[in-house]
Short mmCIF file of all heavy atoms in Angstrom, two decimals:
data_model
loop_
_atom_site.label_atom_id
_atom_site.label_comp_id
_atom_site.label_asym_id
_atom_site.label_seq_id
_atom_site.Cartn_x
_atom_site.Cartn_y
_atom_site.Cartn_z
N GLN M 79 97.48 29.95 -57.96
CA GLN M 79 98.57 30.80 -58.42
C GLN M 79 98.81 31.86 -57.35
O GLN M 79 97.89 32.51 -56.91
CB GLN M 79 98.18 31.46 -59.74
CG GLN M 79 99.32 32.20 -60.39
CD GLN M 79 98.91 32.72 -61.76
OE1 GLN M 79 97.77 33.07 -61.98
NE2 GLN M 79 99.84 32.79 -62.65
N ALA M 83 103.47 35.22 -58.37
CA ALA M 83 103.59 34.56 -59.66
C ALA M 83 102.67 35.19 -60.70
O ALA M 83 102.99 35.28 -61.86
CB ALA M 83 103.31 33.08 -59.53
N LYS M 85 101.93 38.29 -60.93
CA LYS M 85 102.42 39.60 -61.32
C LYS M 85 103.72 39.53 -62.10
O LYS M 85 104.05 40.44 -62.84
CB LYS M 85 102.63 40.46 -60.07
CG LYS M 85 101.34 40.84 -59.39
CD LYS M 85 101.62 41.68 -58.16
CE LYS M 85 100.35 42.00 -57.43
NZ LYS M 85 100.59 42.79 -56.24
N GLU M 86 104.48 38.46 -61.91
CA GLU M 86 105.78 38.37 -62.56
C GLU M 86 105.65 37.75 -63.95
O GLU M 86 105.09 36.68 -64.10
CB GLU M 86 106.73 37.50 -61.73
CG GLU M 86 107.15 38.16 -60.45
CD GLU M 86 108.09 37.29 -59.65
OE1 GLU M 86 108.50 36.22 -60.14
OE2 GLU M 86 108.44 37.69 -58.54
N PRO M 87 106.16 38.41 -64.99
CA PRO M 87 106.12 37.82 -66.32
C PRO M 87 107.11 36.65 -66.42
O PRO M 87 108.10 36.61 -65.71
CB PRO M 87 106.55 38.96 -67.24
CG PRO M 87 107.34 39.86 -66.36
CD PRO M 87 106.79 39.71 -64.96
N GLU M 88 106.76 35.70 -67.29
CA GLU M 88 107.67 34.58 -67.50
C GLU M 88 108.81 35.02 -68.40
O GLU M 88 108.63 35.80 -69.32
CB GLU M 88 106.93 33.42 -68.17
CG GLU M 88 105.92 32.77 -67.27
CD GLU M 88 105.29 31.54 -67.90
OE1 GLU M 88 105.89 30.99 -68.84
OE2 GLU M 88 104.21 31.17 -67.46
N HIS M 89 110.00 34.53 -68.12
CA HIS M 89 111.17 34.84 -68.94
C HIS M 89 111.50 33.65 -69.80
O HIS M 89 111.51 32.51 -69.33
CB HIS M 89 112.37 35.19 -68.05
CG HIS M 89 112.12 36.40 -67.23
ND1 HIS M 89 112.00 37.66 -67.74
CD2 HIS M 89 111.92 36.55 -65.88
CE1 HIS M 89 111.78 38.52 -66.76
NE2 HIS M 89 111.72 37.87 -65.62
N ALA M 90 111.80 33.89 -71.05
CA ALA M 90 112.11 32.80 -71.97
C ALA M 90 113.56 32.37 -71.84
O ALA M 90 114.41 33.04 -71.41
CB ALA M 90 111.84 33.23 -73.40
#
Side-chain angles (χ1 to χ4, degrees):
Q79 188 175 33
K85 291 180 183 179
E86 290 180 5
E88 291 185 20
H89 298 292

